[in-house]
Amino acid sequence: MARMKKTMETPGEFNIDDAFSVIDKLNPYATFLDDGALSNITDFIDTGSYTLNAQISGKLVDGGIPMGRVTMLAGPSQTGKSYIVQNVIRNAQKKGLHVVVFDTENAIDGEGAKRLGIDISKVKYVPTRSVEECRNIIQQFLDKIMEMRQKGKVLIVIDSLANLESEMQLNRMAKDNTSADMGSFAKACKSLLKTCTRMGAFTNTPILITNHIYDDPAAMFTQLVKAMPGGRTAVYLPTVTLQLSRSPIKPEEAWEEDKLTVGQKHQVGVILKSLSVKNRIVKPDIAVEMYLSFNNGLDRYHGLKDLAVGFGLIVQGGATYSLPDGTKLGYFKNFRTNKQFWDDMIPKIQEKIDEEWNYASYKEAVEANLSDEEAADLEQTVSNEESIESNDIPEEN
């Protein structure tokens, strides 16, 4: 038998665009990272607080809730979640966005929203009972947005995730079934959040979700990061997950312009503390403080002093403050409401945030004199955080 000869074609000039054309035909959303890719965040919606903006997005002035991403605000009752949500709705409308609110708690009152500056005639209000109902409406609604080729036109709010039920739970209640739920709610939440993550990115729709928190009953000691309805999925699938807490402001501790009004007895406002337990935009585990006045709303500037002191831009000496060059500022109350002072300070704080809060790159690690191994470990850590997939998250029992 004659031996068959092997032939090999001589390769021609390689044109990667010919190969990429296969991907483009199969996936119309495929693009390059510098050409409006889904992974790029192009804009943010102001929260009404400079420090909250920075904690979420790394930007004090132009930051806030990211477009095309899921943001979770979790905390116990009366930690300002619904108030912050309404701030975001108002500011989204200022940017020309339409708003859809899935309300499960009857927490957003029309007249109250109107007083906060929201055009309630342009807010689509959707009372919702089940997680699956919420998921299906969002899926079909954003499918229609995609069909119309209208990206970045809508803000979706779910307030709150914790008050939804799974269809299985509702069916059991209808049958007077008292058996325990075996994870149907967590599985339904996982499906909802997958839908929000995927469809929000495809349509550049920001999705803002509120949730409650509770102490893990299985933990031996009290944990800083609390558990929340929906399980680990609710923490790790959103792009940003914040955990809120509060402490009241007594009348004697309040600012001069924020005293008790007629009928008030004990509190004039609350200090809100926010901890980022998950963030893919800037470093997580960052804590900031805000002030919510019952009379005057969310203080835009509150918390900047703590950042300025932390970054060394203001020097604290006991109860008084000064600048690094020795210029005396005196007591905090002397410059707390000086907007010109803070407007001048904001660019300096922003510069520090850019330096310290952003994820480090391999190049930056090398320039910081880390070894190749340390730099590679750092790069891998950042890469892992960026690529968390929902399938890696175990189901809740």
Side-chain angles (χ1 to χ4, degrees):
M1 175 183 269
R3 180 180 296 177
M4 298 182 64
K5 293 183 179 179
K6 294 182 179 180
T7 61
M8 180 180 294
E9 294 183 5
T10 302
E13 183 178 351
F14 178 62
N15 186 343
I16 188 62
D17 289 335
D18 290 341
F20 282 158
S21 66
V22 175
I23 297 176
D24 293 336
K25 289 178 181 178
L26 296 173
N27 189 327
Y29 300 100
T31 183
F32 291 96
L33 283 176
D34 65 348
D35 188 28
L38 292 180
S39 59
N40 293 337
I41 300 173
T42 58
D43 199 7
F44 300 89
I45 304 173
D46 180 25
T47 65
S49 164
Y50 284 138
T51 55
L52 187 59
N53 285 351
Q55 183 190 41
I56 296 171
S57 62
K59 300 175 183 293
L60 290 163
V61 178
D62 299 321
I65 304 300
M67 296 289 291
R69 296 295 183 272
V70 177
T71 302
M72 178 81 72
L73 300 179
S77 177
Q78 296 185 330
T79 49
K81 299 186 297 296
S82 294
Y83 187 92
I84 293 171
V85 163
Q86 292 180 80
N87 262 1
V88 173
I89 291 174
R90 181 189 65 239
N91 292 328
Q93 288 186 333
K94 289 180 180 179
K95 296 172 76 70
L97 273 66
H98 303 275
V99 181
V100 180
V101 176
F102 293 86
D103 189 1
T104 71
E105 296 185 337
N106 298 317
I108 300 181
D109 169 67
E111 287 304 312
K114 188 176 180 180
R115 287 193 294 271
L116 288 175
I118 295 172
D119 184 348
I120 59 176
S121 68
K122 296 182 179 179
V123 176
K124 190 68 172 180
Y125 180 81
V126 188
T128 313
R129 291 186 66 195
S130 78
V131 183
E132 290 88 348
E133 177 190 11
C134 185
R135 177 202 62 200
N136 293 344
I137 294 174
I138 289 175
Q139 173 72 52
Q140 294 177 46
F141 173 65
L142 293 183
D143 273 342
K144 185 64 175 180
I145 295 292
M146 288 175 61
E147 178 187 320
M148 298 169 65
R149 299 181 182 275
Q150 296 295 319
K151 296 183 178 181
K153 302 292 187 180
V154 178
L155 164 70
I156 291 178
V157 171
I158 303 175
D159 188 20
S160 75
L161 183 66
N163 213 42
L164 288 169
E165 303 273 9
S166 70
E167 290 288 352
M168 183 179 292
Q169 289 171 316
L170 292 176
N171 289 336
R172 284 175 176 171
M173 285 188 283
K175 298 176 182 178
D176 199 24
N177 187 331
T178 59
S179 61
D181 178 69
M182 299 302 292
S184 67
F185 177 74
K187 291 176 182 178
C189 284
K190 184 175 183 178
S191 179
L192 168 63
L193 290 169
K194 280 184 176 181
T195 298
C196 291
T197 300
R198 181 181 66 254
M199 298 303 298
F202 285 158
T203 59
N204 197 29
T205 298
I207 300 178
L208 180 58
I209 304 174
T210 67
N211 205 354
H212 296 296
I213 60 174
Y214 58 91
D215 287 317
D216 184 353
M220 183 175 296
F221 303 103
T222 301
Q223 304 294 310
L224 175 62
V225 177
K226 308 297 184 181
M228 62 180 69
R232 293 176 60 190
T233 299
V235 177
Y236 294 112
L237 267 182
T239 294
V240 179
T241 301
L242 304 181
Q243 179 179 292
L244 301 174
S245 60
R246 69 190 288 269
S247 58
I249 292 291
K250 298 177 181 178
E252 60 270 20
E253 298 171 343
W255 311 121
E256 293 181 358
E257 70 275 16
D258 201 13
K259 297 298 185 182
L260 289 173
T261 58
V262 175
Q264 284 183 309
K265 299 297 182 183
H266 304 294
Q267 300 180 29
V268 294
V270 291
I271 294 293
L272 302 178
K273 296 181 180 180
S274 176
L275 173 68
S276 58
V277 298
K278 161 73 186 302
N279 199 328
R280 293 185 184 179
I281 305 173
V282 294
K283 293 177 183 177
D285 200 35
I286 289 173
V288 300
E289 189 177 279
M290 300 163 280
Y291 174 49
L292 176 59
S293 164
F294 297 154
N295 301 325
N296 301 303
L298 195 62
D299 188 323
R300 175 172 290 278
Y301 291 84
H302 189 91
L304 289 179
K305 184 259 292 180
D306 292 337
L307 291 182
V309 171
F311 287 135
L313 300 172
I314 294 177
V315 179
Q316 182 174 2
T320 61
Y321 300 84
S322 62
L323 296 178
D325 64 6
T327 302
K328 295 187 181 300
L329 300 174
Y331 294 105
F332 180 42
K333 65 180 182 179
N334 295 341
F335 60 97
R336 184 188 71 84
T337 59
N338 187 337
K339 292 186 177 181
Q340 185 60 55
F341 173 83
W342 292 114
D343 288 341
D344 293 341
M345 182 63 68
I346 282 173
K348 301 174 184 177
I349 299 175
Q350 183 64 60
E351 184 177 352
K352 293 292 186 179
I353 288 173
D354 293 340
E355 292 174 2
E356 299 192 25
W357 285 13
N358 289 322
Y359 285 109
S361 67
Y362 183 89
K363 179 181 178 182
E364 290 169 335
V366 171
E367 290 174 349
N369 295 320
L370 296 182
S371 68
D372 288 344
E373 183 177 356
E374 291 172 325
D377 287 344
L378 176 59
E379 189 75 359
Q380 186 60 48
T381 299
V382 175
S383 177
N384 289 342
E385 173 64 23
E386 292 285 346
S387 62
I388 290 177
E389 295 292 340
S390 60
N391 289 335
D392 295 333
I393 303 171
E395 300 283 2
E396 297 294 313
N397 291 323

